Amino acid sequence: MSHKPLNEHITADKAKAVLVSLVSAIIVTLLLFLIMLSFVKEQEERRALEILNNVGVVFQDASATLDRVNELTFAQCSNEHLFAMRKILFRSRFVKEIGFYEDDALGCSTYLGILDVPFTDAAPDFVTIQDDIFWVNTPLALFDEKAVGTVVKRGRYNAVLDMGNVIGFTRFLDWQLFYNGDKFYHMAGNKTLLKNSVSESELSSDSFFSLHFIKCHDVYYLTCLKVDPDMNRLFDLHVGKLLLLFLVTLMTAAFSHVLTFNYLRHKHSLESRIKKGLAKSSFYCVYQPFVDLESGEVIGCEVLSRFEDELGAIYPDEFIPQIKALGITREFTQDMIKKSMLELTNCEGIPKDFKVSFNLFPMDFNQDYCLDLDFALTLNTKNFKLVLEITEDEQISTHSAIKHIKSLKSKGFLFAIDDFGVGYSNLSQLKTMNCDFLKIDRSFVMEMEENSIRSSLIPHIVGIANGLEIKLIAEGVENSEQASELRNLSVGFGQGWLYGKPQSVESLAESVQQSA
């Protein structure tokens, strides 16, 4: 297989894996961010509603207290009146003091008692639709006006409210409690967040992606809270979640990178490419001619398989073992025979009675079922002499293999033992198989010029073939000296680069015409 395309695809696979890991990390980060944003916003809204509910509890307690004192029948301040007021105050949770008005001036209170000089209130900050009068952050007579508080008046009584303990003041002034009536009034929190009343459309607008929002109390609906979260507070609260999000993002990137790269490598592996190639016709046929050594005429060819896809070529010494390992030898053989028969029969330059030799896998003859090659006979419209080559292998010596070989010979197929001399064949096996050709392994031919021990065995092979009336084909003939010596040894046919490399069917047709 070409290393350059493979290296290029490995680099491309790495780049794709990095891209997928980045996209996956971004998507996961966005999803987790949205989930975290939803969680944080829900927490902030709960915090805001908690503040509003606490304010509502104070207002409800004040309203109930004021209703009870206004049911009293006293017309002026007295000890009995103060005693009744203090009894009601004792039952209240969030009212710190109750006062009574005589002639629109504060005449007495539960803490100060009967005032020597009645106290006249300043103008109120706002009046609710229930006609409750509010003073917010007003100086309190209870503390010699050195402290401020919220005072609400209803009828002839007022109540000083304990707001600080229920609102939960903190160092993070990221909210503002305000009255949103006809007149806007700041009540507590950060007074810089809002300066004016908020319209209905502004109250109803609430973006999912924003942590800035306004909530109003369900009952005291003009009492609202503006939230503008402090980022430092949110970071301190959720730093653990941010770290977890970061770790999940890293793990997602790493996992997606490994998964994608392994997937792409598997996709480009020999196994995957061969499976896909068989389905997508990445395998193709080339043809190596063999000649009559006496006349030099091209009288046949051996069909050889080649593979090439978008990743480059895979050589036979790589894909043949993989085809065996995948158990797709039958499918591969049938595919190659169909393709070659169609090409050869459709090529005008290939004559009738041409010998066409196919390589078969010995393991396919060692099965319970016979290899079905009837389709090749149907495609053989030029009456080619179809030769089935089997490499010497112990698997073809079994009873099952011999039975299948005889069955195919009875249909008109010829048989050849490929790479003879280096395998398992013996004289008894050759007689049993009744083969038509022996192909002398190229290793014998290549050493002829050196007069090696191996090359000296060729005359013995010739003797065996003559004794069994089997024709010989010498493989690996590369020069005229080898061809001449093989002729002298009465070897009938030769095949090798001297007569042509594996080539297309068009080139084979030219070789046939030139040798005629």
Side-chain angles (χ1 to χ4, degrees), residues 6-161:
L6 180 60
N7 291 335
E8 290 176 353
H9 278 279
I10 290 176
T11 303
D13 289 346
K14 290 179 179 178
K16 290 176 183 176
V18 170
L19 179 62
V20 169
S21 66
L22 288 175
V23 172
S24 301
I26 291 171
I27 292 174
V28 170
T29 300
L30 287 175
L31 288 175
L32 291 177
F33 175 77
L34 291 176
I35 293 172
M36 185 173 176
L37 179 63
S38 174
F39 175 77
V40 171
K41 185 167 184 178
E42 184 180 353
Q43 274 197 329
E44 292 300 298
E45 288 180 346
R46 283 204 304 265
R47 172 175 172 252
L49 291 176
E50 184 180 355
I51 294 173
L52 285 172
N53 288 335
N54 289 340
V55 171
V57 168
V58 175
F59 285 176
Q60 288 173 355
D61 184 60
S63 177
T65 300
L66 289 172
D67 284 343
R68 283 194 290 269
V69 293
N70 275 291
E71 291 176 357
L72 298 176
T73 58
F74 297 98
Q76 59 185 8
C77 290
S78 64
N79 290 331
E80 291 81 9
H81 190 181
L82 288 172
F83 180 75
M85 289 166 58
R86 286 169 181 149
K87 282 176 61 177
I88 294 173
L89 178 63
F90 182 78
R91 295 169 58 188
S92 174
R93 291 179 57 198
F94 301 106
V95 176
K96 295 191 290 186
E97 186 178 11
I98 301 173
F100 176 73
Y101 287 81
E102 295 180 350
D103 300 326
D104 293 328
L106 185 66
C108 59
S109 73
T110 52
Y111 180 78
L112 297 176
I114 300 173
L115 301 180
D116 295 332
V117 178
F119 180 81
T120 303
D121 292 322
D125 293 318
F126 60 87
V127 179
T128 68
I129 58 176
Q130 292 87 8
D131 290 329
D132 291 333
I133 302 171
F134 272 82
W135 291 266
V136 180
N137 297 325
T138 186
L140 298 176
L142 176 62
F143 298 102
D144 299 328
E145 300 189 358
K146 292 180 180 179
V148 295
T150 298
V151 179
V152 58
K153 179 184 177 185
R154 179 182 296 176
R156 299 185 66 184
Y157 294 87
N158 73 5
V160 178
L161 309 183

Side-chain angles (χ1 to χ4, degrees), residues 328-396:
I328 54 174
T329 53
R330 292 167 61 86
E331 295 84 350
F332 173 78
T333 298
Q334 291 171 349
D335 184 58
M336 290 296 99
I337 292 177
K338 286 178 183 177
K339 286 179 179 177
S340 59
M341 288 298 294
L342 289 172
E343 289 183 352
L344 291 168
T345 54
N346 290 330
C347 183
E348 296 181 358
I350 305 300
K352 294 183 178 180
D353 298 325
F354 199 64
K355 291 182 176 67
V356 182
S357 183
F358 306 101
N359 288 284
L360 303 184
F361 293 90
M363 63 179 66
D364 287 337
F365 288 87
N366 202 25
Q367 307 292 334
D368 293 335
Y369 45 82
C370 183
L371 192 64
D372 182 11
L373 298 180
D374 290 351
F375 68 90
L377 300 174
T378 305
L379 294 173
N380 190 17
T381 57
K382 285 188 174 181
N383 295 319
F384 295 142
K385 295 178 180 178
L386 304 182
V387 183
L388 305 179
E389 294 188 18
I390 311 175
T391 305
E392 283 190 281
D393 193 297
E394 60 185 356
Q395 296 184 69
I396 64 171

Side-chain angles (χ1 to χ4, degrees), residues 45 48-53 55-56 176-181 194 197-200 202-204 213-227:
E45 288 180 346
L49 291 176
E50 184 180 355
I51 294 173
L52 285 172
N53 288 335
V55 171
Q176 181 181 11
L177 185 68
F178 63 96
Y179 179 75
N180 195 48
L194 283 176
S197 295
V198 180
S199 66
E200 288 293 330
E202 290 176 291
L203 288 174
S204 59
F213 57 87
I214 297 174
K215 293 289 183 182
C216 297
H217 195 277
D218 292 336
V219 177
Y220 305 99
Y221 55 89
L222 294 179
T223 302
C224 301
L225 191 77
K226 162 71 174 175
V227 176

